[in-house]
Amino acid sequence: MTPTVRARLGTVLAAAVPVVFVAVLFGYPVAAIVGRGLAPEGTLDPEPLRRVFTDPALRGVVWFTVWQAALSTLCTLVLALPGAYVLARLRFPGRSLVRALVTVPFVLPTVLVANAFLAVGVPRSLGAILLAHVFFNYAVVVRVVGTRWRNLDPHEAEAARMLGASRWRVAREVTAPALRPAVVAAATITFLFCFTSFGVVLFLGGPTRTTLETEIHRQTTRFLDLPLAAALSVVQLAAVLALLWLVGRSERRAAVPARLRAAREIEHAPRTPGAWVLLTANLLVMTALLLVPMAVLVVRSLTPPSGFGLDAYRALGDLRRGSTLFVPPLEAVGTSVRYALAAATIAVVVGGLAAWAGARSRSRWLDGVLAVPLGVSAVTLGFGFLIALDEGPLDLRGSAALVPLAQALVALPFVVLLVGPVLRSIDPRLREAAAMLGASPGAIRRRIDLPIAARALFAAGAFAVAISLGEFGATTFVVRPDAPTLPVVIARLLGQPGEAAFHAAMAASGILMVLVVVAVVVGDRARVGRFGDF
Amino acid sequence: MRRPRSRAAFVRVPVTTICATLVATLVATLGATLGGVPAGAAERRVTLVTHDSFALSESVLDRFTERTGIEVQVLPLGDAGQIVNQAVLTRGNPVGDVLFGVDNAFLTRALDANVFERYRSPAVDGVPEALRLDPKHRVTPIDYGDVCINYDKAWFAERRIPVPETLEDLTERRYRDLLVVQDPSTSSPGLAFLLATVAEFGPDRWQGYWKRLRANGVTVVDGWEQAYYDEFSGGGAGGDKPLVVSYATSPAAAVVYADPPITRSPIGTMTGSCFRQVEFAGILAGTKHRAEARRLVDFLLSPGVQADLPLQMFVYPAVADTPLPAVFTANADTADDPYTMTPARIGARRDAWIRAWTGTVLR
């Protein structure tokens, strides 16, 4: 076997792992439930699909889903891009805490966030949906774009300025093209999240606003109209595939290699009055948009009817003790953390292999494949699990392994997004030099690729931990009843009668917030040498 | 600023350690959890599929295990509608042995799909005829409760407005913008309240009633949590509507879970607005533990469980003459003459009514 053939084989094998992972845990269950709906007797019945496009109410649902997601994405980009810059480039006291805090909303249960929004006077409306979507997805932009921005070599921009280009021209012709892949990726993910957003639309939109996701949920869990639910799922899937295909195509043409440098060599304290204004304005936006709703939750957890204090946290450990519903809070924290670590490890290994394979080929189809699960209804996937994973070696129903596997499925695209660009930016001359000095391909991977990617892998892992901690949609279908995660505990508390349960749910979400902050701060602090600082 | 040390020494150790630690965690988690999966038929166990609000005292379940040697695993899989749909989807290869929590609103869907096998528990003799809704004994009634409108006592007392008594009263001008209900297409109590209005006004006039309710400013939200905590002024979480669709036992729950303790409930029940819900248990067809499943159904009707139900799930025990806790008799309500409807009628018209309701109230 020649070295080239062996290298190509390695790439193919590395790509095969994520593909098989997604095929088994996503493709097969979704195909099973959609198949049951559209071809109950083995022959395809196109009638439900026709209904989606002929029934004006359902057509309206499709259209509303698309435009609210597009508008939400736009709002998120407009508000979060400046924030991403500030957090990536400006050095100021407390920055790493702010970075961690803006990640917290991403993992909070929608039902509590909705309550907080309503409590500060936001009425159920389209505006509330948009605001909440910005609230939840701000972190996506800050993470995905910020990671790129932190390491983008400002040398070219400075050179262009020196040669007399205006600020605006530099931004448009130098910085923007270099950032573009990250912005497109963040926008795509945000769009997918808003496209399949469930709780936000249901709780903050009010019952008159229906998206594909809420309609699939309604048809599946209420009417048991599997044909219609399957048809809606197919439409949802087709829209997601079309979007990812378009994005992949435009990105292949627009790919611009960018020079990366260690973040600490680029970032600086705000020097000009303009920089101070930018910093202050963004911190204000973050406070109003992100911190206020979070603060409402924290304050409510500290002010149960019995007065200010930790009673709600104590209630978490006492309420319903001795009942089958009771789970000691520490146990739920332990369960959540163990699942999250396992899920993050799976996501980092599988996603790392995908990023590595992706970096060695020009095509981006793998990134797209891994993002598809984000764009598909959790209830479709959950019911798919139920009827597909019930026999033979795939009999995973009731197995706890399914929880981290399902969570890893959600975290996977982020790992690829955060690690891929770093691997792609490794200067090929570095590898060539090492090879010339006699390093074997294995040694190059170990001594060059891995150390450089290590920090990105670590940060991605921390983000994967955060995602898994907050994951609710898929987890709720596969979680073992005696070992619920924190979001499941919160949901159960909210279904119980009595005010004490409501405040205990707030307390549980307070604990969830702390866990997320710890995960992100640890992930951001981890440094593996100078070359790891990417 | 501290400069990084040379990379050769720095890089290898942490990466390997970190990877090793994470892989060890992964293996430990998967190992521990996979190891917990039942190994086979050696031990006697039975799985109870139920809704998320299911609760019993741990000690009561333990007594069952002590007496019979059968271990019970409780598997909550969503709300009443979801568990029925999941049972229909997994018919023949069910995830559990007994399903508890199907109510009269979804009963026919489960029965029509043949998800249950017949079993007549001897204990069913103690249950009043009115609750035994399946003459073929595919399901066994376990408990019942009333979905009713609750009101915030203080709100009405302060304003000296009389509390509404009938469904028709709610369309009066003085009750404008006061009522919050749930969408029947997403919520069990929402569906029960819709059925109450159909039972009261009949198939021709119920939509007209909802048109008047809508004109009088009814608020519709997705689920019970949103209605009770986000909107209801008596829920203690910042709402401002004094009338909400909830349960006749909610006043008792408000006392039991009050902190600091109170003796008189801050909320009351409009007993003229109630719809009776009956919850059933059934043995899932395809069970591999038929004998154990039957013991479990008998157990659900045993005095120990029946007496435990009120304070665990805030429902009334199905077996007549089961003693009720004092806080229940003092604060929980039951309607003397609640609205009812046969499961067959609900099953035949339910989805059509929900769609018509959506068209009338939301569009």
Side-chain angles (χ1 to χ4, degrees):
Chain A
M1 228 187 311
T2 66
T4 352
V5 171
R6 203 179 322 155
R8 190 150 314 152
L9 196 67
T11 314
V12 170
L13 283 178
V17 173
V19 169
V20 169
F21 184 84
V22 170
V24 171
L25 284 170
F26 172 78
Y28 173 52
V30 169
I33 188 80
V34 168
R36 174 86 71 100
L38 285 185
E41 260 89 57
T43 46
L44 184 79
D45 177 12
E47 180 49 34
L49 270 173
R50 200 164 21 230
R51 228 171 104 196
V52 176
F53 291 103
T54 47
D55 182 333
L58 290 175
R59 256 199 336 234
V61 167
V62 176
W63 174 230
F64 176 68
T65 309
V66 173
W67 74 255
Q68 67 79 22
L71 193 56
S72 297
T73 309
L74 190 69
C75 294
T76 308
L77 285 179
V78 167
L79 286 165
L81 276 177
Y85 171 83
V86 164
L87 290 177
R89 285 293 177 85
L90 297 183
R91 203 182 298 132
F92 58 92
R95 184 180 59 170
S96 72
L97 183 66
V98 176
R99 250 188 219 158
L101 282 177
V102 302
T103 314
V104 172
F106 190 68
V107 306
L108 288 177
T110 45
V111 56
L112 291 184
V113 171
N115 181 273
F117 270 71
L118 295 166
V120 294
V122 178
R124 287 196 174 82
S125 57
L126 176 65
I129 294 181
L130 297 181
L131 269 182
H133 280 158
V134 177
F135 176 83
F136 281 108
N137 293 298
Y138 195 92
V140 173
V141 177
V142 166
R143 286 274 136 191
V144 176
V145 180
T147 312
R148 178 99 173 161
W149 223 329
R150 279 171 86 174
N151 297 112
L152 196 65
D153 196 338
H155 187 80
E156 278 182 52
E158 282 158 12
R161 282 285 284 157
M162 212 116 73
L163 291 171
S166 69
R167 243 172 224 288
W168 168 238
R169 194 158 163 217
V170 171
R172 210 182 46 204
E173 292 179 11
V174 182
T175 314
L179 276 183
R180 181 182 152 138
V183 175
V184 170
T188 308
I189 288 202
T190 304
F191 183 88
L192 292 182
F193 273 127
C194 300
F195 190 71
T196 58
S197 148
F198 178 70
V200 168
V201 176
L202 216 48
F203 307 143
L204 285 172
T208 51
R209 293 183 182 81
T210 311
T211 59
L212 276 170
E213 184 81 12
T214 59
E215 193 57 29
I216 290 171
H217 191 266
R218 199 193 313 261
Q219 295 300 340
T220 313
T221 65
R222 277 299 131 174
F223 299 125
L224 198 62
D225 189 341
L226 285 188
L228 184 55
L232 292 166
S233 297
V234 167
V235 171
Q236 197 181 31
L237 193 60
V240 168
L241 288 174
L243 172 80
L244 291 172
W245 180 73
L246 278 175
V247 168
R249 239 175 69 121
S250 77
E251 283 315 283
R252 201 166 51 227
R253 261 191 254 129
V256 180
R259 287 179 57 88
L260 300 191
R261 247 167 77 184
R264 80 185 66 173
E265 291 166 15
I266 305 171
E267 63 190 32
H268 54 82
R271 284 179 296 238
T272 58
W276 278 109
V277 170
L278 191 66
L279 176 61
T280 319
N282 275 291
L283 289 178
L284 282 177
V285 168
M286 288 175 212
T287 307
L289 200 70
L290 310 179
L291 293 185
V292 166
M294 283 196 270
V296 170
L297 295 185
V298 174
V299 167
R300 289 202 159 186
S301 77
L302 292 172
T303 51
S306 58
F308 182 81
L310 291 175
D311 278 0
Y313 290 82
R314 243 169 261 133
L316 209 48
D318 295 334
L319 204 65
R320 298 244 154 180
R321 184 183 286 282
S323 156
T324 50
L325 272 185
F326 179 74
V327 180
L330 271 183
E331 200 178 301
V333 170
T335 307
S336 281
V337 170
R338 262 183 297 128
Y339 279 146
L341 284 177
T345 313
I346 298 169
V348 165
V349 171
V350 177
L353 285 171
W356 187 73
R360 300 174 62 120
S361 99
R362 212 167 302 134
S363 135
R364 293 293 187 80
W365 62 269
L366 195 56
D367 295 12
V369 167
L370 298 182
V372 176
L374 294 186
V376 169
S377 162
V379 70
T380 305
L381 184 60
F383 273 66
F385 279 156
L386 210 62
I387 65 164
L389 306 179
D390 69 336
E391 288 173 320
L394 279 179
D395 188 0
L396 291 172
R397 295 191 315 190
S399 150
L402 202 49
V403 177
L405 287 171
Q407 293 176 342
L409 200 61
V410 180
L412 206 51
F414 288 92
V415 174
V416 180
L417 273 176
L418 294 175
V419 179
V422 173
L423 281 175
R424 254 183 227 120
S425 70
I426 295 176
D427 197 331
R429 280 172 301 183
L430 205 54
R431 289 203 189 100
E432 283 158 18
M436 211 119 76
L437 293 171
S440 68
I444 293 177
R445 276 198 295 277
R446 213 166 46 240
R447 301 288 288 274
I448 296 179
D449 292 3
L450 190 58
I452 291 182
R455 189 181 142 76
L457 280 171
F458 208 87
F463 197 46
V465 166
I467 293 173
S468 313
L469 282 175
E471 213 293 321
F472 181 69
T475 305
T476 170
F477 281 95
V478 295
V479 74
R480 279 167 70 94
D482 46 347
T485 60
L486 271 175
V488 175
V489 167
I490 292 170
R492 284 193 196 166
L493 281 170
L494 285 173
Q496 286 173 35
E499 229 180 292
F502 178 79
H503 288 274
M506 295 285 173
S509 75
I511 297 176
L512 189 61
M513 286 187 214
V514 172
L515 286 181
V516 171
V517 170
V518 169
V520 176
V521 168
V522 168
D524 279 353
R525 282 289 161 91
R527 285 230 148 82
V528 194
R530 177 170 173 269
F531 279 84
D533 196 15
F534 281 95
Chain B
M1 193 172 51
R2 202 163 64 91
R3 297 305 304 173
R5 284 176 280 162
S6 93
R7 76 170 188 272
F10 201 89
V11 167
R12 246 181 310 168
V13 183
V15 172
T16 341
T17 325
I18 290 162
C19 292
T21 320
L22 285 177
V23 169
T25 322
L26 176 69
V27 170
T29 309
L30 293 186
T33 47
L34 283 175
V37 172
E43 56 183 315
R44 299 181 74 191
R45 67 190 290 145
V46 61
T47 302
L48 177 65
V49 177
T50 183
H51 49 60
D52 290 336
S53 322
F54 176 84
L56 271 186
S57 296
E58 214 55 91
S59 56
V60 170
L61 269 187
D62 289 347
R63 226 173 301 143
F64 175 71
T65 308
E66 272 164 37
R67 263 213 311 265
T68 61
I70 302 167
E71 206 165 306
V72 183
Q73 199 192 18
V74 179
L75 192 60
L77 288 176
D79 70 7
Q82 275 177 32
I83 57 173
V84 170
N85 290 355
Q86 299 191 6
V88 171
L89 277 177
T90 56
R91 185 165 61 95
N93 188 8
V95 288
D97 307 297
V98 175
L99 182 141
F100 165 77
V102 53
D103 63 22
N104 38 337
F106 286 100
L107 185 60
T108 49
R109 178 177 292 163
L111 295 183
D112 292 348
N114 291 319
V115 303
F116 296 119
E117 53 176 58
R118 288 180 189 214
Y119 173 61
R120 186 184 190 284
S121 170
V124 86
D125 294 332
V127 177
E129 276 297 336
L131 299 179
R132 299 195 220 161
L133 297 177
D134 178 32
K136 290 184 185 161
H137 301 293
R138 289 161 295 185
V139 290
T140 307
I142 306 294
D143 66 60
Y144 69 94
D146 293 327
V147 169
C148 309
I149 291 177
N150 287 152
Y151 59 88
D152 178 352
K153 286 180 181 169
W155 195 96
F156 285 97
E158 277 162 23
R159 287 166 184 75
R160 297 173 187 281
I161 300 175
V163 174
E165 285 176 8
T166 65
L167 292 179
E168 191 59 56
D169 288 351
L170 296 168
T171 60
E172 285 176 23
R173 212 180 142 65
R174 59 180 162 175
Y175 301 122
R176 194 178 170 82
D177 296 334
L178 301 188
L179 174 66
V180 55
V181 303
Q182 300 87 355
D183 182 345
S185 76
T186 48
S187 155
S188 275
L191 177 56
F193 184 63
L194 167 60
L195 296 176
T197 62
V198 177
E200 164 70 24
F201 295 98
D204 304 325
R205 287 175 42 239
W206 71 269
Q207 277 176 282
Y209 172 72
W210 276 98
K211 268 186 203 133
R212 279 177 286 141
L213 265 192
R214 184 181 178 173
N216 210 29
V218 66
T219 300
V220 181
V221 295
D222 161 62
W224 179 85
E225 291 91 334
Q226 285 71 44
Y228 201 82
Y229 290 124
D230 294 343
E231 304 291 340
F232 182 43
S233 60
D240 59 2
K241 309 238 179 254
L243 293 169
V244 66
V245 171
S246 184
Y247 297 89
T249 53
S250 297
V255 173
V256 172
Y257 289 111
D259 181 26
I262 50 173
T263 48
R264 198 171 160 274
S265 186
I267 60 179
T269 302
M270 227 182 104
T271 46
S273 65
C274 300
F275 186 83
R276 177 138 303 172
Q277 279 187 327
V278 186
E279 285 194 298
F280 302 89
I283 297 174
L284 288 163
T287 171
K288 293 182 185 71
H289 307 99
R290 179 169 298 127
E292 290 84 353
R294 291 181 168 184
R295 295 290 290 271
L296 183 60
V297 173
D298 295 345
F299 172 67
L300 290 174
L301 283 178
S302 70
V305 171
Q306 291 284 305
D308 194 39
L309 288 171
L311 286 184
Q312 286 291 332
M313 286 193 265
F314 289 89
V315 290
Y316 284 90
V319 174
D321 304 326
T322 305
L324 292 174
V327 64
F328 226 67
T329 38
N331 295 293
D333 298 298
T334 41
D336 297 330
D337 188 18
Y339 295 109
T340 55
M341 206 183 275
T342 64
R345 181 152 179 244
I346 299 174
R349 303 288 299 146
R350 178 189 53 232
D351 293 356
W353 284 332
I354 294 176
R355 292 200 170 97
W357 179 93
T358 307
T360 308
V361 179
L362 297 182
R363 300 271 184 258

